């Protein structure tokens, strides 16, 4: 018959490194989940949305002026004070329409990857956290689109940046960070993979982390702006407050992304060659599409301007906000997008900050190709001269197309 000491030693076998690692990851998940559940930031966002009236905030900046469309360009220098505030508001609209589209992606992929983690067993708290985040994202999306659409209708007499509430789910899926990753068939392949194995489900969160960090570039600044107004007991516009509370909500989501992408994948069987290939291909594609250049018209934007910004700015210049003729609008676009200016140098600083953060993040993943670990494609895109060259090439085609559309001689 065993004595108590022998029985105790038999029951309490030393834990393996793997078991200790899993327990640590589950503990972090539990803390993040509890804190997220106890917060009320989503409720504050919804309340601000429900009481939103653009006219109450139309005369106030919603962030530091540098977070404005065309900031640092020749046109911004000569814009009137009211036009500069409007460009600040439209930058908020553009940024959060993209965020809404990206969070539409998140709603889907949280469910796809969550089903993989749930089937493993032992990760129920993580799945609950993903469910909470999905619910929060739905409220975020509704708030962003409500404020954005009301702002556009007042300033531009039309919704030209964002999508209407109904009938555009597929466009939102294409327009978000993950949606822009690749063409339809390739996107479907990635979706299938992220729902197939624990490793690939985990790897999706490396891409989600990239999206989290891109948003943080502007939201950290917006949160500082909110806190400064609050500290000085000054008037706080509702969109500034929405940005602040969203920043706090997203801190939980960013923790989830980082935990799964950097640590949790090590709990599972080592990836096959195919899994490593697909994981690296998705990151490479993200560099090639979302992070491939510098915008001359919007800071913290690294898509080529021809995809979104130049056509958008043309519509803004032709709207009642500036009321320009076709030729006036084209002339200003050429000056703002085809020549070096302060705005490009400011965006280069944002680019360098993001690439530094992402290189630190990917350095901790042991399956990453060097081209992804060092963000080489993104680094190549951080060139002012390349941005100007690409914009000039696109401008010639764009100016011909809009001139023909308006029935003017070329």
């Amino acid at each position: 018959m065993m004595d108590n000491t022998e029985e105790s030693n038999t029951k309490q076998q030393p834990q393996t490194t793997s078991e200790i690692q899993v327990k640590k990851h589950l503990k972090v998940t539990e803390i993040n989940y509890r804190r997220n559940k106890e917060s009320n930031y989503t409720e504050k966002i919804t309340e601000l949305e429900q009481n939103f009236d653009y006219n109450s905030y139309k005369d106030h900046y919603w962030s530091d002026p540098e977070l404005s469309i065309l900031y640092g360009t020749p046109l911004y220098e000569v814009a009137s004070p009211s036009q500069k505030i409007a460009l600040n508001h439209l930058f908020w609209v553009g940024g959060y329409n993209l965020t809404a589209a990206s969070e539409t992606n998140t709603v889907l992929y949280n469910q796809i990857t969550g089903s993989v983690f749930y089937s493993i067993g032992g990760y129920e708290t993580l799945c609950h956290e993903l469910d909470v985040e999905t619910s929060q994202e739905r409220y975020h999306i509704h708030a962003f689109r409500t404020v954005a659409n009301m702002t556009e209708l007042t300033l531009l007499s039309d919704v030209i940046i964002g999508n209407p509430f109904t009938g555009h789910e597929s466009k939102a899926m294409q327009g978000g960070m993950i949606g822009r990753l690749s063409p339809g068939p390739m996107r479907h392949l990635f979706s299938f993979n992220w729902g197939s194995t624990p490793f690939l489900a985990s790897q999706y969160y490396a891409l989600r982390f990239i999206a989290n960090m891109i948003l943080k570039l502007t939201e950290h600044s917006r949160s500082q702006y909110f806190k400064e107004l609050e500290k000085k007991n000054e008037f706080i516009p509702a969109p500034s407050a929405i940005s602040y509370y969203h920043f706090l909500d997203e801190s939980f989501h960013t923790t989830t992304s980082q935990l799964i992408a950097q640590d949790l994948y090590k709990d599972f069987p080592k990836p096959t060659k195919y899994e490593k290939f697909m994981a690296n291909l998705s990151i490479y594609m993200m560099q090639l599409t979302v992070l491939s250049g510098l915008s001359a018209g919007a800071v913290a934007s690294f898509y080529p301007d021809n995809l979104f910004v130049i056509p958008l700015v043309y519509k803004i210049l032709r709207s009642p906000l500036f009321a320009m003729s076709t030729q006036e609008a084209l002339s200003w676009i050429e000056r703002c997008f085809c020549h070096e200016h302060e705005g490009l140098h400011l965006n280069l600083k944002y680019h360098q900050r993001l690439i530094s953060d992402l290189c630190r993040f990917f350095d901790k993943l042991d399956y990453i190709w060097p081209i992804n670990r060092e963000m080489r494609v993104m680094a190549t895109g951080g060139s002012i001269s390349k941005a100007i060259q690409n914009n000039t090439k696109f401008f010639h085609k764009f100016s011909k197309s809009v001139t023909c559309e308006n029935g003017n001689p070329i």
Side-chain angles (χ1 to χ4, degrees), residues 241-279:
I242 289 173
S243 295
Y244 174 69
Y245 292 119
H246 186 255
F247 177 72
L248 297 178
D249 249 355
E250 284 296 310
S251 67
F252 300 116
H253 302 196
T254 303
T255 297
T256 299
S257 297
Q258 187 166 0
L259 171 67
I260 298 175
Q262 277 192 338
D263 299 317
L264 202 73
Y265 82 92
K266 297 173 184 175
D267 294 355
F268 309 127
K270 289 189 177 297
T272 63
K273 289 183 179 179
Y274 173 80
E275 287 176 316
K276 287 183 180 180
F277 174 79
M278 291 306 300

Side-chain angles (χ1 to χ4, degrees), residues 127-165:
C127 295
H128 293 325
E129 169 61 18
L130 293 177
D131 287 341
V132 170
E133 292 180 11
T134 296
S135 175
Q136 291 170 334
E137 302 291 34
R138 295 185 190 280
Y139 286 103
H140 296 167
I141 292 164
H142 196 276
F144 295 152
R145 288 179 173 166
T146 297
V147 174
N149 287 354
M150 290 177 67
T151 301
E152 282 198 79
L153 286 170
T154 305
L155 288 175
L156 308 176
S157 300
D158 195 5
V159 176
I160 65 173
I161 301 175
N163 293 322
F165 287 108

Side-chain angles (χ1 to χ4, degrees), residues 28-212:
V28 174
T29 300
E30 176 64 40
I31 293 170
N32 191 50
Y33 172 64
R34 187 181 72 250
R35 289 177 176 172
N36 195 5
K37 283 280 287 182
E38 292 172 353
S39 72
N40 64 344
Y41 308 132
T42 303
E43 289 80 1
K44 289 180 180 293
I45 290 171
T46 300
E47 182 182 354
L48 288 161
E49 172 212 345
Q50 290 173 344
N51 296 311
F52 180 74
D53 173 19
Y54 180 76
N55 289 324
S56 299
Y57 313 109
K58 64 183 179 65
D59 298 324
H60 301 267
Y61 278 93
W62 295 352
S63 66
D64 289 323
E66 71 177 39
L67 298 185
S68 302
I69 292 178
L70 295 175
Y71 182 85
T73 68
L75 179 59
Y76 189 87
E77 293 177 9
V78 299
S80 69
S82 62
Q83 287 172 331
K84 287 180 178 177
I85 289 176
L87 291 173
N88 180 258
H89 296 176
L90 291 174
F91 183 87
W92 192 101
V93 168
Y96 282 108
N97 267 306
L98 174 58
T99 300
S102 296
E103 293 188 349
T104 301
N105 300 163
T106 300
V107 167
L108 172 63
Y109 294 118
N110 280 2
Q111 295 170 333
I112 289 175
T113 57
S115 65
V116 177
F117 298 135
Y118 187 79
S119 67
I120 298 169
Y123 292 91
E124 288 78 12
T125 301
L126 175 62
C127 295
H128 293 325
E129 169 61 18
L130 293 177
D131 287 341
V132 170
E133 292 180 11
T134 296
S135 175
Q136 291 170 334
E137 302 291 34
R138 295 185 190 280
Y139 286 103
H140 296 167
I141 292 164
H142 196 276
F144 295 152
R145 288 179 173 166
T146 297
V147 174
N149 287 354
M150 290 177 67
T151 301
E152 282 198 79
L153 286 170
T154 305
L155 288 175
L156 308 176
S157 300
D158 195 5
V159 176
I160 65 173
I161 301 175
N163 293 322
F165 287 108
T166 58
H168 289 263
E169 197 70 15
S170 61
K171 288 186 178 180
M173 287 304 301
Q174 295 169 21
M177 293 289 183
I178 302 300
R180 296 185 183 192
L181 175 67
S182 59
M186 184 69 76
R187 188 168 63 252
H188 295 322
L189 176 61
F190 285 131
S191 298
F192 171 79
N193 278 278
W194 291 328
S196 63
T197 71
F199 170 78
L200 287 171
S202 301
Q203 186 273 326
Y204 156 74
Y205 289 86
L207 300 183
R208 203 181 88 162
F209 182 81
I210 294 175
N212 294 146

